């Protein structure tokens, strides 16, 4: 549920992409790949902005 309504495909998709990107970012940091970490961080920021623009509530960042 998102704001009292059933989660639609867009919401489910964006939340899954955020989780995947957070995971990828964590792996990049753990492996010491600074370039990949920067790329993943940028992607994560873009996804969070997109979610906010569409009223999708995202939990606190895990990374």
């Amino acid at each position: 549920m998102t704001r009292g309504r059933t989660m639609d495909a867009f919401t489910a998709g964006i939340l899954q992409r955020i989780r995947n990107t957070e995971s990828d970012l964590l792996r990049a940091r753990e492996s010491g790949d600074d370039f990949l970490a920067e790329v993943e961080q940028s992607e994560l920021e873009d996804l969070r902005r997109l979610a906010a623009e569409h009223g999708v509530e995202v939990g606190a960042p895990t990374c």
Side-chain angles (χ1 to χ4, degrees):
M1 297 283 287
T2 301
R3 292 188 184 172
R5 62 182 195 268
T6 304
M7 189 178 300
D8 61 19
F10 174 81
T11 301
I14 196 89
L15 291 174
Q16 184 61 50
R17 288 183 62 195
I18 288 171
R19 284 190 296 272
N20 291 345
T21 304
E22 286 175 337
S23 232
D24 293 345
L25 174 57
L26 183 59
R27 276 195 300 279
R29 287 179 175 165
E30 288 174 345
S31 72
D33 189 334
D34 294 336
F35 177 74
L36 182 57
E38 285 184 36
V39 169
E40 296 297 347
Q41 182 64 48
S42 180
E43 175 72 8
L44 185 57
E45 290 167 5
D46 287 344
L47 289 168
R48 287 181 168 278
R49 178 189 47 77
L50 183 63
E53 287 174 0
H54 290 275
V56 176
E57 295 178 24
V58 179
T62 60
C63 297

